[in-house]
Amino acid sequence: MSLSRPSSVVLGAGLMGRLLAWQLARAGHAVTVYEAGGADAQGSPARIAAAMLAPLAESAVTESSVVEMGRYSLQRWPELLAQLSQPVFFQQEGTLILWHRQDAGEAQRFARQLQATQEKLPALPTLQTLDAAGVSQLEPSLGNRFTQGLYLPGEGQLDNRQLLAALLHELQTLQVDLHWNSPRAPQDFQPGTTGQPDWVFDCRGLGAQAQWAQLRGIRGEVARLYAPEVTLNRPTRLIHPRYAVYIAPKQDHVFVIGATEIESNDLSPPSVRSTLELLSAAYAVHSGFAEARILEIATQCRPTLPDNLPAIRRLGARTLQVNGMYRHGFMISPALLDAVLELVREQTTTLATSLDLHMETVPT
Ligand SMILES: Cc1cc2nc3c(=O)[nH]c(=O)nc-3n(C[C@H](O)[C@H](O)[C@H](O)COP(=O)(O)OP(=O)(O)OC[C@H]3O[C@@H](n4cnc5c(N)ncnc54)[C@H](O)[C@@H]3O)c2cc1C
């Protein structure tokens, strides 16, 4: 173990690996990264994600601990992005929830779930009910199609690809030792012994399955469209009994339409059924998508633990695994990042305890 500058190895340069390697390097660690794929993150769900930061909207499908991690992270993102030298699109224009008249029953159920979350977590911005005029005011091109909606103020989104590229730039600037096309496993290292790193951080997402057998993939398919006739100012979610889609606008009329949720590690190309459902639902929200150009239809699997909650695991004293971010990686990664950094500094983390973030130690 070095007496001066601590050294760290990070496995995986998806979302968590890049964030952690960056912050460790900023904190003075000599950092080495091993990534199974290339620098463009093609092997990572982080590359195709919609990158919505929507804790209240997600409370319909997750637990309040994740909602709290999301709330914490929404405050942290602007601070983190301000430390990057390249710009990353980030906004907090809220989330719009819409439904067709025939799905009003489903929408009521959804609204009740969100109201229950708000009673539990009153610090979340207050949910607003919209009529047609309210929908028009927020999204002028949708008011003639939808007579009701919900507005979740303060929720955010960022551009995932810009973020991954900006993080790569920081790693290069900070002279992090980057190894692409170089798969590794925690057992390749004996941290804390002579000639070895002080710390190993396993951020391999689904790639960690061999050592963390409970991990599973949840397949997601997304379409990326260029739609010059469509302007939307914020992520819009459509409540629908069969396909609940979202439309996440990026800059310059690029939209991510997603996403399927299929219990599977299958990374084969998108199916016809999923593609038809995603594109039809987008068209049902805004007819301007008819003339959109399909830039990409992509598939990835979300790394997920049995309870669908994230976890930090200790494999021995100096190897930490961070995983299970499921469909919430962008929404919650700053919370996990801060908890891990606190663990490294203090050997304990009060943040993880306060956020009810699951921590466990694997006996060696
Ligand atoms: C369709 C879809 C939409 C999504 N939308 C959102 C959203 O709107 N908001 C949100 O918050 N989250 C969203 N997510 C979830 C988010 O993308 C994930 O939670 C996040 O990417 C997980 O980050 P990670 O760093 O743990 O893993 P990953 O991003 O999977 O990164 C793991 C990395 O490890 C590498 N690796 C694997 N094996 C090895 C090895 N042996 N050695 C070295 N490297 C290895 C992989 O190549 C990969 O680059 C979405 C995901 C999908 C699939």
Side-chain angles (χ1 to χ4, degrees):
M1 200 187 315
S2 63
L3 291 175
S4 49
R5 194 178 177 206
S7 60
S8 289
V9 161
V10 176
L11 309 179
L15 175 61
M16 196 67 221
R18 281 181 204 222
L19 281 171
L20 194 52
W22 170 47
Q23 287 295 314
L24 288 167
R26 277 178 61 95
H29 286 229
V31 182
T32 305
V33 172
Y34 294 97
E35 161 60 45
D40 56 6
Q42 286 288 355
S44 162
R47 185 178 159 79
I48 71 157
M52 295 178 294
L53 316 170
L56 182 55
E58 286 296 305
S59 73
V61 292
T62 190
E63 306 218 347
S64 47
S65 62
V66 174
V67 179
E68 274 293 76
M69 287 175 224
R71 198 172 69 82
Y72 172 94
S73 300
L74 206 39
Q75 291 163 357
R76 279 289 281 140
W77 271 120
E79 295 165 7
L80 289 167
L81 298 180
Q83 294 169 10
L84 294 168
S85 51
Q86 292 185 348
V88 174
F89 169 67
F90 168 86
Q91 67 170 27
Q92 278 187 269
E93 293 297 322
T95 302
L96 180 62
I97 316 277
L98 298 173
W99 56 90
H100 296 295
R101 211 181 296 269
Q102 64 271 25
D103 300 323
E106 185 72 11
Q108 269 175 8
R109 195 185 60 79
F110 182 88
R112 278 198 299 273
Q113 278 177 311
L114 268 49
Q115 278 151 1
T117 306
Q118 285 213 293
E119 279 164 26
K120 220 166 159 185
L121 307 171
L124 290 166
T126 307
L127 169 76
Q128 295 171 19
T129 306
L130 303 175
D131 56 13
V135 174
S136 274
Q137 206 182 349
L138 286 172
E139 296 294 358
S141 59
L142 299 182
N144 57 350
R145 278 176 175 255
F146 294 92
T147 54
Q148 296 172 76
L150 294 172
Y151 178 50
L152 284 47
E155 299 211 308
Q157 65 180 123
L158 55 77
D159 188 305
N160 50 325
R161 293 189 182 179
Q162 286 177 6
L163 175 69
L164 292 170
L167 289 171
L168 175 62
H169 178 77
E170 298 304 316
L171 298 181
Q172 288 163 336
T173 306
L174 290 162
Q175 298 186 329
V176 169
D177 190 11
L178 297 165
H179 299 261
W180 308 111
N181 306 304
S182 304
R184 295 285 187 281
Q187 60 270 28
D188 296 334
F189 304 91
Q190 291 78 44
T193 62
T194 312
Q196 289 285 314
D198 294 313
W199 290 92
V200 172
F201 300 93
D202 180 1
C203 305
R204 292 174 298 156
L206 265 190
Q209 242 175 345
Q211 287 77 37
W212 199 334
Q214 297 91 334
L215 276 168
R216 72 190 199 280
I218 299 189
R219 176 180 160 102
E221 291 146 304
V222 283
R224 188 170 271 254
L225 308 180
Y226 171 60
E229 291 178 21
V230 180
T231 298
L232 293 175
N233 300 305
R234 56 189 54 75
T236 298
R237 297 182 182 218
L238 182 67
I239 294 180
H240 191 278
R242 271 183 303 130
Y243 30 88
V245 297
Y246 54 72
I247 301 171
K250 305 279 171 182
Q251 285 169 306
D252 303 325
H253 297 279
V254 171
F255 297 84
V256 172
I257 319 289
T260 55
E261 287 241 18
I262 301 161
E263 285 281 344
S264 169
N265 281 354
D266 175 12
L267 281 173
S268 65
S271 71
V272 169
R273 177 204 292 260
S274 297
T275 306
L276 287 174
E277 288 178 356
L278 290 175
L279 298 182
S280 311
Y283 176 66
V285 171
H286 197 306
S287 55
F289 282 114
E291 285 305 318
R293 295 295 177 260
I294 300 173
L295 302 177
E296 180 182 303
I297 300 184
T299 304
Q300 265 296 342
C301 290
R302 308 165 180 92
T304 310
L305 287 163
D307 55 7
N308 294 353
L309 300 176
I312 298 176
R313 228 170 60 147
R314 249 181 210 280
L315 265 187
R318 290 179 163 268
T319 299
L320 293 176
Q321 298 183 292
V322 188
N323 219 315
M325 291 199 290
Y326 175 38
R327 55 185 270 163
H328 301 124
F330 289 89
M331 190 178 102
I332 63 173
S333 49
L336 275 77
L337 172 73
D338 286 354
V340 170
L341 293 171
E342 192 188 0
L343 253 181
V344 171
R345 275 193 322 267
E346 320 282 348
Q347 295 297 312
T348 179
T349 158
T350 52
L351 179 64
T353 311
S354 71
L355 292 173
D356 207 10
L357 169 56
H358 185 66
M359 310 270 307
E360 66 179 74
T361 301
V362 181
T364 45

